[in-house]
Each structure stands twice: as structure tokens, then as C-alpha cells.
Amino acid sequence: MSDFVWSSATSEDQSSMKRIGRWLIRNPPVFTLILIVLVSVTIGAIAPEFWQVSNIFDMARASVVTGLFGLGFLVILAAGGIDLSFTAIAALMMYWITTAIAASAPWMPMPVILLISALGGTLIGIGNGLLVHYLRAPALIVTIGTSYVIRGFLLTFIGTELFVNIPLPIEEFGKYELWRVQTDTGSIAILPAYVLMLVAAAIVTWWILNRTLMGRAIFAIGGNSSIAERLGYDARKVQVFVFAFSGFLAGIAGMLHVSANRIANPFDLMGTELGVIASVVLGGARITGGGGSVIGTILGVVLVTLVNNVLILAGIPSTWQTLVVGCFIVLAGAVFGTRKSA
């Protein structure tokens, strides 16, 4: 009798574990959140200073540009595409516009500067979308090409030197404070106001993907473009829109990068593409298209930022950052790859 009871209890436990596992697989952001909690608790136990307000504010600040890139990449990935030109777009906009404004209109208000940069990024994004659609070439190849063209144009015709004479409106924008806290050590921790730009972008992206016909079209095209087109969805409009939206956010991200660092470097942001892709994938977006969420992407950005910024507190060399992120990606791929069968 006792053996029978033990067997039944074991079967129920296994069944419960399977249900929990299937639920986690169907809800990727929860899995990402668990990884964030595990990393935070582990590092916090090793280095209690991890929980200082200043460290949390630093991570929030470091997440803004990556988050804007990630939201743009999410929209393109959901539509079945891929983009590797967003950092080049941001670099072009931030350097070109900063130097042009410093030379001709240093009084220009920051909202106008952001609008100009966003529109410039949008135009380049539209070009990407049209090339992908009419050339019928893989988006990966097209955007690698446009990335090289943009960087070549920037370095050949605009400049290659660090630009430090940042116009006052751009510099002052990066100093605006959302929250100021005095720590126990007497130092001041500041949360910059420009983190609200990421919050606004996340809300807009969520609304587009979940509350508009374009959002439906994006997921439909990404899931199966042939069936979606037979159902009446316009692939050209979708492709142009997603690349334009990514360019729009890249333009904003470029100017925020200048404003935060108070320096314009044409070589900045190069090599950050893989971190952005990792963030979106860790957030549960399907690399083949047709899926993904804003909350998952933001959590993925937080996880990658966490690894990149606080491992040193735990005594782990910074050279291990890529290894740790890579392990997380493999783990996420193994878990999320079973979604269809779950």
C-alpha cells in the first residue's frame, strides 16, 4: 500500500513539474526573469554592494541605447527579417547631426535635434526595407551591405576624429535628472531623465505589435509570408515599416548616446550588434520570425546589461562576459526551441 501511495505521489510530482516546464516554455519572459533573479541573487550574495542604488541606476542608464536597438530589432525579427545596420545608422546620425548643428545651429532645442535624427534614421530604414523587398535578397545580406556603405560614407566624407564640442542643448539634455538619491556613503546617485525615452519607446512598440493591424501583419508575415500574402497582407508595406521603425529608434539612440557620453565618436557602437541580438533572443523572440514580445526584449536587455556590468563585482574577469551571455543564449535556445512541441 505504501509503495502505491509513494508511486502516485511521485507521478503527481512529475506531472506538476512537466506542467510548470510547459508553462515556462510558453511564457519566455518568465524564464528570462528567473535568470535575472538568479544572477542578481548570486552576485548580491558574493558582493553586497551590488544592491546599492547607484549600481542599479548605472544599469538603467546602460540599458537605454541597447533597449532602443533591441525594440527595433524585435519588430524586424517578428516580421521574419534581420537587421545588422542599426548601429551604423545610429553612428551616422549622432556624428553627422552633432557636427552639423555645432557648426550651424548650436542653439537648436533637443526635441528638434531628436526629431531630425529620428527622421534621418527612418529614411535609411525605408531604403533598407525597399532593398530587401525588391531585390528579394536576404535581409541579413542587405543590411550588412548598407552597414558598410553607411560606415564608409561616414568615415570618408564626414570625419573620423572624436568630436567633443557638443552643442549645449545636447549636453544639457543628458544632465536632466529623473531621480536623485544620496547614498549611505554620502555620494549622489542620479537616474537620468532620458531613461523615459526607453519607456516611451517600449509602450509605443507594444501598442504597434498588440493593438494595430500593422502588428497583426508583422506577426503574420513573420510566421508564414506566403500564407499571409494570400490572406491579403502586403509584404512590401510590412518590410518597409519594420525597417523604418528600426531606423527611427536607431536615430534616437544615436543622439541619446552622444547626450549621455558628451562626445561623438564615429567608431562608437561598433560590435554591439551581437549584444542586442542576444537580448532579443533571450527575451524569447523566435529567430525565424512570427513571435516575440516587448516585455521579453526589455528583460533580455536587463539580463545582458546585468552580465556586462556587474560580473566584475563578483570577481569574475570582464573577459568572461561573452562566455556567460553565450551560455545563456544556448540555454534559452534549448528551452525555447521546444515551444512548438510543448
Side-chain angles (χ1 to χ4, degrees):
M1 181 67 178
S2 60
D3 290 341
F4 175 76
V5 173
W6 172 259
S7 177
S8 299
T10 302
S11 298
E12 289 179 3
D13 290 342
Q14 291 176 345
S15 179
S16 298
M17 291 300 293
K18 288 181 179 179
R19 284 197 297 269
I20 293 173
R22 285 195 292 267
W23 185 80
L24 285 175
I25 290 170
R26 294 193 186 102
N27 297 272
V30 178
F31 178 79
T32 310
L33 180 60
I34 291 172
L35 288 179
I36 292 172
V37 172
L38 289 175
V39 172
S40 299
V41 170
T42 302
I43 296 177
I46 298 172
E49 61 269 27
F50 167 76
W51 301 110
Q52 291 179 358
V53 175
S54 58
N55 190 50
I56 296 173
F57 283 2
D58 286 342
M59 286 191 293
R61 185 185 303 112
S63 298
V64 174
V65 171
T66 303
L68 290 172
F69 286 152
L71 291 171
F73 189 83
L74 167 68
V75 173
I76 291 177
L77 193 64
I82 196 166
D83 181 17
L84 292 180
S85 66
F86 52 86
T87 58
I89 294 173
L92 175 63
M93 291 299 105
M94 73 175 183
Y95 195 83
W96 189 4
I97 292 176
T98 300
T99 53
I101 290 176
S104 59
W107 43 264
M108 186 176 291
M110 189 61 178
V112 177
I113 296 172
L114 285 172
L115 179 61
I116 294 172
S117 185
L119 290 177
T122 301
L123 290 176
I124 298 175
I126 290 173
N128 272 337
L130 292 174
L131 286 173
V132 169
H133 180 77
Y134 287 111
L135 293 180
R136 300 292 179 182
L140 174 65
I141 303 302
V142 172
T143 56
I144 288 176
T146 55
S147 176
Y148 273 85
V149 169
I150 291 169
R151 291 197 182 278
F153 176 82
L154 172 62
L155 300 180
T156 303
F157 297 104
I158 299 178
T160 60
E161 297 180 355
L162 296 179
F163 187 80
V164 296
N165 298 318
I166 305 301
L168 187 60
I170 298 177
E171 184 176 343
E172 289 298 319
F173 185 79
K175 296 179 181 178
Y176 291 152
E177 300 174 5
L178 180 63
W179 195 4
R180 170 187 284 255
V181 176
Q182 185 169 2
T183 65
D184 295 336
T185 60
S187 61
I188 301 296
I190 297 174
L191 182 66
Y194 60 76
V195 298
L196 294 177
M197 299 293 291
L198 177 58
V199 175
I203 293 172
V204 170
T205 306
W206 178 89
W207 178 77
I208 290 172
L209 291 178
N210 296 279
R211 292 292 185 267
T212 68
L213 291 176
M214 179 56 73
R216 288 187 186 179
I218 288 170
F219 286 123
I221 293 292
N224 191 312
S225 59
S226 299
I227 294 177
E229 288 185 87
R230 285 199 293 271
L231 292 174
Y233 292 109
D234 190 331
R236 180 180 65 86
K237 288 182 180 178
V238 170
Q239 287 175 337
V240 170
F241 175 82
V242 296
F243 280 99
F245 185 71
S246 178
F248 178 87
L249 293 180
I252 293 175
M255 291 313 304
L256 291 183
H257 184 76
V258 174
S259 184
N261 294 282
R262 301 178 184 87
I263 188 171
N265 182 357
F267 298 100
D268 265 359
L269 304 175
M270 291 181 65
T272 61
E273 296 90 348
L274 290 181
V276 173
I277 295 172
S279 300
V280 179
V281 172
L282 286 169
R286 291 191 179 96
I287 199 69
T288 55
S293 68
V294 169
I295 184 63
T297 296
I298 295 299
L299 288 174
V301 169
V302 171
L303 179 58
V304 171
T305 303
L306 191 64
V307 171
N308 288 339
N309 286 272
V310 302
L311 284 185
I312 195 70
L313 292 177
I316 301 174
S318 59
T319 52
W320 283 59
Q321 293 173 2
T322 304
L323 174 63
V324 174
V325 173
C327 290
F328 282 155
I329 292 174
V330 172
L331 178 61
V335 174
F336 300 154
T338 61
R339 271 183 287 188
K340 290 185 178 180
S341 60

